[in-house]
Amino acid sequence: MSKKTIREALNEALRQEMARDGQVIILGEDVAGGHGGTGVIDAYGGPLGVTKGVIGEFGANRVIDTPISESAIMGAAAGAAATGLRPVAELMFVDFMGVCFDQIFNQAAKFRYMFGGKTKTPMVVRTTIGAGMRTAAQHSQCLYHMFTSVPGLKCVMPSNAYDAKGLLIEAIRDDDPVIFFENKLLYDLACDVPDESYAIPFGEANVVREGGDVTIVAFSRMVHIAEEAAKTLAAEGISVEVIDPRTTSPLDEETILDSVEKTGFLVVVDESAARCGMAADIAGLVVEQAFDALRGPIIQITPPHTPVPFSPPLEDAFIPTAGAVCDAIRKLLK
Amino acid sequence: MNLGNNILLDAYHRMKSIREFEERIHVENTTGEIPGFVHLYAGQEAVATGVCLQLRDSDYIGSTHRGHGHSIAKGCDIKAMMLEIYGKKGGLCAGKGGSMHIADFEKGMLGANAIVGGNPPLVIGAALTAKVKGTDGVAVSFSGDGASNQGTTFEAMNMAVVLKLPVVFIFENNGYGEGTGCDYAVGADSIAKRAESFGMPAVSVDGTDFFAVEAAAREAVTRARTGQGPSAIEASAMRFYGHFEGDPQAYRSADELAELRKTGDCLKIFRARVEKDQLVTADALDQIDREVADLIDEAVDKARKADFPTSDDLLTDVYVSY
């Protein structure tokens, strides 16, 4: 056990799984970097450094730098998965799904059902999400809600290093296609992470903080916004329960419903989308299945229905804040 | 290289099976018993057959929406295919895929694919598996002239060259992408030349000439199997039917279709060649004709009588575990 960042935890998970299983490969743009250049190999080690050093340990036959060809990367991963490998493909930014979504949602996601259950597609797509890095509209979205709505895909979004390692190991061992969403702003966040290998099952929410007055469901980086709000409100005598579902597909409905049964109030903090996003999805679930327990309206705290803006004050106004969560809860409980 | 008698009879059996299968579906489709879209491969049989004769069950192919021919040539069970096309229990995909998604991984058939340009990225993945595992497996992508214009195809060809993958790209130029002629939609003189520009050997062959396809495919598959990387083949053969069954084909003249049946029929061309050169006997070919006709009769009969899946089947096999 030692303190590890999410970046380090993911790197460790990849190395441990690649050492355990020779069928695990990594492919993507600059997962090593440097091929064909005048400098060194492993110049990048992944666009954000997650796969650094892995090529040195496992070689270029299993850590495969590709051209900037997202459809070919996703398709190659799906085709390799269906024929006997366990690829971990990297989609540098989730925004780039626009150029390769067919290979994910029409191909990989459909194989098992469309072919009558005869095949497995054990692939992982690691991708990055999240606003806050001043990277503007095409490098800042969350978009996990779009993948969550596709049957056949599993969607995972860790909020801390412990979960990141255990969930990535689970994802690699899983026999279905898994989209693994890493928030860019969380890579350097550290916590205690066991050195040994371990897996965290999908569909089991983490109750980050127990409380009795109001339930917050939050995803990825928004879990930290929710915790910050919970701390502030605790000082005011409001007891907040914070739930991190960790996976949106499958979704641990029971933990959310049980919490709302207890508190009677629900706030969802979600960076994915103002419309048809995870907040709306969770709200729909609770209205349908725990309507009688509700003692007030469900509050959805999301970005506005706009693209992610570039200019710092605009982007800051775009991202949900702990202050906004506190205000909403104070108003709700008044 | 002279092909032995057995190989020629095998080739004829596959080609005749495809033709009979497609001609029969053309007829049965009008009864209303076949749900959804069907796209027939008749006219192009020599391409699928000439290529798949080079492959083992452990080699993979990716196919298109017009995939019956590739499936049969790769060895998929014909009765199970027919059940699938009728949407019945016992179909190759349990009735969940249909005509456009026939797959049989045990036979190396990675799936017909209803997205034009959908299979090339997947096929390079199958080739990547062979490369990473160090087997001598080969993967073949069948695409049409339509898919030759898709970005996914370009990406897959480039990556196959970059990673030196054991893959063969077959471009079946059947003259039309849906209802638009390839002379209009393919902005190059030759699909093969375009493939060549990605850095791989590429040839154009007459896709109605089984012997030409077979020779080109043998060379390309051998190249892949021996670690020499990807190749491409453009094989030209017009389709006998429309883009889909029910397509009135107003974009083609009646003369074109009549002439095609007369001079562009790969089965007639094959038969004339092997009889003239006395490679196989007419009796042996006639015998295959009868066997195949019986088989297709049985397949249709079985499919018509089979049960549909039940509502319980709706929810199964979305995931391995969930």
Side-chain angles (χ1 to χ4, degrees):
Chain A
M1 182 84 78
S2 59
K3 289 251 187 245
K4 297 180 182 100
T5 65
I6 287 184
R7 181 184 286 105
E8 290 162 348
L10 293 170
N11 185 283
E12 190 168 271
L14 288 166
R15 287 176 193 254
Q16 288 179 347
E17 284 303 287
M18 290 184 79
R20 185 188 64 81
D21 183 351
Q23 295 180 0
V24 179
I25 62 164
I26 293 175
L27 73 163
E29 296 155 13
D30 287 316
V31 291
H35 289 287
T38 54
V40 296
I41 300 296
D42 207 18
Y44 277 25
L48 295 164
V50 173
T51 48
K52 190 83 180 168
V54 182
I55 193 171
E57 192 172 342
F58 298 98
N61 196 44
R62 291 179 63 197
V63 180
I64 301 163
D65 272 335
T66 67
I68 301 173
S69 301
E70 284 83 3
S71 286
I73 297 166
M74 295 303 133
T83 55
L85 295 181
R86 303 186 87 86
V88 181
E90 183 160 325
L91 178 62
M92 195 183 297
F93 295 91
V94 75
D95 315 72
F96 302 170
M97 76 178 233
V99 292
C100 63
F101 202 28
D102 180 69
Q103 293 295 325
I104 298 172
F105 94 103
N106 265 329
Q107 310 295 345
K110 303 288 195 283
F111 284 173
R112 184 155 185 87
Y113 193 81
M114 191 167 75
F115 299 153
K118 284 188 311 193
T119 189
K120 296 187 293 190
T121 313
M123 64 185 279
V124 180
V125 178
R126 288 184 43 247
T127 189
T128 64
I129 57 171
M133 285 182 66
R134 317 311 189 202
T135 48
Q138 296 174 346
H139 285 72
S140 302
Q141 297 167 88
C142 275
L143 302 184
Y144 44 76
H145 61 297
M146 296 176 73
F147 295 84
T148 301
S149 70
V150 178
L153 300 180
K154 293 176 178 173
C155 296
V156 182
M157 59 285 310
S159 64
N160 62 67
Y162 177 85
D163 286 356
K165 180 175 173 182
L167 289 169
L168 183 55
I169 288 173
E170 178 76 3
I172 292 169
R173 294 178 186 177
D174 195 281
D175 282 334
D176 293 307
V178 177
I179 316 297
F180 195 91
F181 300 90
E182 301 164 12
N183 192 297
K184 300 184 285 286
L185 284 180
L186 295 182
Y187 275 125
D188 292 321
L189 188 71
C191 69
D192 283 336
V193 176
D195 299 330
E196 63 271 20
S197 177
Y198 61 95
I200 297 173
F202 293 162
E204 292 187 10
N206 180 26
V207 181
V208 176
R209 182 188 180 98
E210 290 189 9
D213 294 332
V214 59
T215 300
I216 300 181
V217 174
F219 304 90
S220 186
R221 191 166 82 84
M222 292 300 108
V223 173
H224 302 285
I225 299 294
E227 277 191 276
E228 192 185 329
K231 277 180 202 153
T232 303
L233 292 170
E236 299 169 24
I238 299 172
S239 165
V240 178
E241 182 142 295
V242 177
I243 295 173
D244 173 5
R246 301 195 283 203
T247 63
T248 54
S249 179
L251 178 69
D252 181 354
E253 299 181 355
E254 197 182 335
T255 297
I256 296 168
L257 293 169
D258 285 351
S259 179
V260 174
E261 294 282 352
K262 178 174 72 176
T263 64
F265 293 99
L266 174 65
V267 175
V268 190
V269 190
D270 172 32
E271 198 185 327
S272 75
R275 299 287 321 281
C276 304
M278 282 315 302
D281 187 70
I282 301 295
L285 167 77
V286 169
V287 165
E288 190 180 32
Q289 299 200 30
F291 185 76
D292 291 341
L294 286 170
R295 293 193 280 137
I298 295 170
I299 306 298
Q300 302 179 41
I301 297 182
T302 69
H305 189 54
T306 69
V308 182
F310 167 66
S311 179
L314 295 181
E315 190 182 34
D316 292 345
F318 173 91
I319 303 169
T321 61
V325 176
C326 289
D327 288 346
I329 289 176
R330 287 185 196 112
K331 196 172 154 198
L332 189 63
L333 298 183
K334 206 180 331 179
Chain B
M1 179 177 151
N2 287 326
L3 299 171
N5 182 277
N6 286 346
I7 291 176
L8 292 174
L9 290 177
D10 181 4
Y12 184 73
H13 196 286
R14 297 190 205 199
M15 289 166 61
K16 186 68 184 180
S17 299
I18 298 168
R19 176 65 56 85
E20 194 75 16
F21 190 92
E22 298 295 60
E23 298 278 23
R24 186 64 181 271
I25 286 181
H26 176 69
V27 172
E28 297 299 333
N29 192 58
T30 60
T31 67
E33 286 180 80
I34 297 176
F37 296 141
V38 282
H39 307 78
L40 301 183
Y41 189 75
Q44 302 173 228
E45 293 88 345
V47 183
T49 301
V51 172
C52 290
L53 269 179
Q54 319 303 324
L55 303 177
R56 309 163 181 162
D57 283 354
S58 53
D59 295 324
Y60 287 102
I61 65 166
S63 171
T64 70
H65 56 288
R66 199 175 305 288
H68 303 168
H70 308 130
S71 305
I72 292 171
K74 194 67 172 64
C76 293
D77 182 82
I78 283 175
K79 288 181 184 171
M81 282 180 61
M82 196 67 86
L83 284 164
E84 187 61 35
I85 289 166
Y86 274 76
K88 297 292 184 73
K89 253 187 192 311
L92 262 181
C93 301
K96 285 178 170 172
S99 165
M100 292 189 286
H101 303 299
I102 287 170
D104 187 349
F105 282 64
E106 285 176 15
K107 292 289 181 186
M109 171 54 179
L110 280 175
N113 202 309
I115 305 297
V116 173
N119 90 60
L122 302 169
V123 168
I124 66 166
L128 184 63
T129 298
K131 187 189 171 197
V132 170
K133 291 193 166 185
T135 70
D136 64 353
V138 170
V140 175
S141 163
F142 287 98
S143 296
D145 46 289
S148 82
N149 299 325
Q150 286 278 37
T152 46
T153 307
F154 298 166
E155 289 188 21
M157 286 196 286
N158 181 61
M159 198 182 294
V161 170
V162 169
L163 300 179
K164 210 172 179 190
L165 297 176
V167 59
V168 180
F169 297 95
I170 308 292
F171 292 103
E172 295 184 76
N173 186 340
N174 69 10
Y176 295 94
E178 300 184 20
T180 298
C182 75
D183 288 346
Y184 175 89
V186 178
D189 295 340
S190 148
I191 295 170
K193 278 187 194 160
R194 191 154 67 184
E196 193 175 26
S197 74
F198 281 91
M200 70 183 94
V203 294
S204 295
V205 297
D206 176 355
T208 65
D209 179 354
F210 163 80
F211 293 92
V213 175
E214 196 278 336
R218 181 153 23 92
E219 196 179 323
V221 169
T222 302
R223 196 178 289 127
R225 213 180 283 296
T226 54
Q228 298 173 72
S231 312
I233 298 169
E234 177 182 4
S236 300
M238 304 290 274
R239 55 170 148 85
F240 285 1
Y241 293 106
H243 167 53
F244 58 96
E245 276 307 271
D247 176 2
Q249 299 189 77
Y251 51 87
R252 300 174 100 168
S253 69
D255 289 352
E256 180 192 318
L257 285 165
E259 183 65 21
L260 193 54
R261 288 275 185 177
K262 229 186 286 174
T263 62
D265 183 335
C266 60
L267 277 151
K268 285 183 189 165
I269 293 167
F270 179 91
R271 196 166 178 133
R273 165 85 181 269
V274 295
E275 289 185 7
K276 179 170 110 350
D277 292 352
Q278 299 185 324
L279 300 172
V280 292
T281 66
D283 280 353
L285 299 178
D286 291 343
Q287 173 66 23
I288 288 174
D289 288 352
R290 286 190 295 273
E291 281 172 22
V292 167
D294 289 347
L295 175 65
I296 302 300
D297 275 347
E298 288 167 25
V300 170
D301 189 50
K302 186 176 177 187
R304 293 181 68 182
K305 289 177 179 158
D307 292 332
F308 282 109
T310 63
S311 57
D312 290 344
D313 299 317
L314 173 67
L315 301 181
T316 58
D317 291 326
V318 181
Y319 295 91
V320 177
S321 61
Y322 197 60

